[in-house]
Amino acid sequence: MERTAIRRRLTWQAGTVTEVRAETASARTVVLDVPDWPGHLAGQHLDVRLTAPDGYQASRSYSIASAWSGSGTGPGIGTTVELTVEQVPGGEVSPYLVDVIRPGDPLEVRGPVGGWFVWKPEQEGPIQLIGGGSGVVPLMAMLRAHAAAASTTPARLLYSVRRPEAVIYVSDLKELAASDDIEVTFAYTREAPPGEQRAPARIDAGLLASVTFQPEDAPTTYVCGPTPFVETVADLLVAAGHDPARIRTERFG
Amino acid sequence: MTVEVPTYLDGNAAAGVLREIFAVDITAAIGRCAGCGQTGVFAETRVYLDAPGLVARCQGCDEVLLRVVTTPADTYLDLRGLTYLRVPNPA
């Protein structure tokens, strides 16, 4: 992480798209090569800026999907950064990233940013990840960092998603869930796959009590998703006796 | 609109803009609200991007903590609502 310790004013830099992968009907993973990338931690963001021919600019913040980087070897190391973008209807930036951008295209980025909603392999205690929709993206970066570091810290992911086709990273998650240290639970809210025992429903206190770490396990809990989802889940966790200081939230409106 | 949907994000949404101004990450810093005196991690403030510029408000009392407005030539930083920001020193 030595390179991240260099402090300088953060500015926009030019990246190049090297790959675009479809994750779901509306979500794409954009792989970027950013030559001066200083490395990042799991859970950090970067900002993307688009400039129209008339000079109009729009920027948005996106969670980084790839694992920590900056030293060592493994996925996400070096100058490669992955973003997973879900198309927002009527959005200014996401439709371009999902539908238009192609390998070889330039993309202006600024980052990494954010030092609060991050997980480092040396952090003590179990980690509970709770994501709603594309809120799974920074949580996936944490699970990838966990795998890349061969961490034995117990980790659980509770992923709230409308229907099976909307699950991002489905094959990666199934692979990670095969590890002894990682448990993955899908909570379908609209439509469940055949064989799923739980009827489609939002996350409630009963589900949290049965599939997440309990307050006495002293987990650090990361909750990411749309604002109402994050507020509901955080309130349920506090009501269940979790220490608010160990709950880290990230809302994306 | 029949449903009240919160329009705010959290302090993380301001991280990039603030990293252009500050040499350190502010989202993990502790801020004290000049309005109600509550202290908290900047990442947990409420950030509104739909104003001209960016506004961060206190989670406790909704007071404006910080505003950032960028013009083609300059960036204006208004810290009126913060008594202090506590930034950890590097180890």
Side-chain angles (χ1 to χ4, degrees), chain A residues 136-193:
Chain A
V136 74
V137 174
L139 310 181
M140 188 65 190
M142 293 179 194
L143 291 176
R144 285 173 168 160
H146 184 281
S151 172
T152 55
T153 297
R156 293 183 185 176
L157 168 67
L158 174 57
Y159 181 0
S160 171
V161 63
R162 286 182 180 172
R163 50 182 59 86
E165 309 86 81
V167 174
I168 303 174
Y169 313 126
V170 65
S171 57
D172 289 3
L173 283 174
K174 285 181 176 163
E175 199 176 302
L176 286 171
S179 146
D180 290 342
D181 304 307
I182 298 176
E183 281 179 37
V184 177
T185 305
F186 297 99
Y188 300 97
T189 59
R190 301 272 177 86
E191 187 189 312

Side-chain angles (χ1 to χ4, degrees), chain A residues 227 231 251-253, chain B residues 5-10 45-49:
Chain A
T227 300
E231 312 257 297
R251 311 171 182 91
F252 52 75
Chain B
V5 179
T7 58
Y8 56 87
L9 303 173
D10 57 39
T45 61
R46 296 179 173 180
V47 168
Y48 296 79
L49 299 175

